[in-house]
């Protein structure tokens, strides 16, 4: 899991930073060669959500910076219900990307998400100057 805007808030730019990273990661999967399986394509799923979180350092022997809250769970659900080599966004993330501009979004439609009920989700198809390779 990757986050942006924590601990220093960056307005709505966090959505664009994560979306750009996700597009780049999916695109590199098309050219990446797995050394011990050169004929197998690397496939990843990506999910993006935006919302409030609570953050803090947990542990004393091996401290970790942890994030908590419904936003973390929803982002995880966006990834787990996505498809290989695709980026699924929640409505809140899609709205921010629309405000930022420069991203290609397609409505996936209503999806039943465990613990959340029906959610309208979006496919992030790429940036206007860089589409996700097929």
């Amino acid at each position: 899991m990757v986050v942006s805007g924590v601990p220093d808030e960056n307005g709505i730019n966090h959505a664009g930073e994560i979306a750009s990273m996700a597009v780049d990661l999916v695109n590199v999967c098309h050219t990446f060669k797995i050394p011990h399986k050169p004929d197998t394509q690397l496939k990843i799923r990506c999910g993006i959500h935006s919302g409030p979180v609570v953050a803090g350092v947990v542990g004393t022997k091996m401290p970790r910076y942890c994030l908590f809250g419904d936003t973390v769970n929803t982002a995880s659900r966006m990834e787990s219900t996505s498809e290989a080599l695709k980026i699924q966004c929640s409505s809140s993330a899609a709205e921010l990307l629309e405000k930022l501009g420069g991203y290609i979004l397609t409505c996936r439609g209503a999806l039943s998400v465990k613990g959340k009920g029906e959610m309208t989700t979006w496919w992030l198809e790429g940036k206007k100057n860089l589409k996700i390779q097929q």
Side-chain angles (χ1 to χ4, degrees):
M1 185 167 289
V2 179
V3 298
S4 176
V6 176
D8 300 320
E9 290 185 33
N10 57 6
I12 66 169
N13 292 330
H14 65 278
E17 289 176 353
I18 295 297
S20 295
M21 183 204 65
V23 168
D24 291 343
L25 283 171
V26 170
N27 277 336
V28 82
C29 286
H30 294 284
T31 57
F32 185 82
K33 296 290 180 209
I34 303 169
H36 62 286
K37 288 187 163 193
D39 296 330
T40 303
Q41 182 180 13
L42 178 66
K43 294 180 182 178
I44 64 170
R45 293 184 307 227
C46 295
I48 302 174
H49 180 62
S50 182
V53 294
V54 175
V57 177
V58 176
T60 54
K61 287 187 178 181
M62 195 170 139
R64 291 181 233 22
Y65 189 71
C66 295
L67 301 174
F68 305 95
D70 188 55
T71 297
V72 176
N73 297 334
T74 304
S76 176
R77 295 286 187 224
M78 290 297 100
E79 178 272 325
S80 65
T81 59
S82 187
E83 296 176 5
L85 299 172
K86 287 197 168 192
I87 305 164
Q88 181 173 232
C89 299
S90 66
S91 289
S92 65
E95 287 171 19
L96 293 176
L97 293 174
E98 286 287 338
K99 281 183 189 174
L100 285 169
Y103 294 93
I104 303 164
L105 294 155
T106 305
C107 186
R108 181 179 186 184
L111 184 70
S112 180
V113 178
K114 183 178 173 187
K116 301 292 294 175
E118 288 269 310
M119 288 183 72
T120 300
T121 63
W122 300 77
W123 292 123
L124 173 57
E125 304 283 345
K127 298 183 216 177
K128 293 218 166 126
N129 62 350
L130 177 66
K131 290 194 177 189
I132 293 175
Q133 299 171 15
Q134 297 298 323

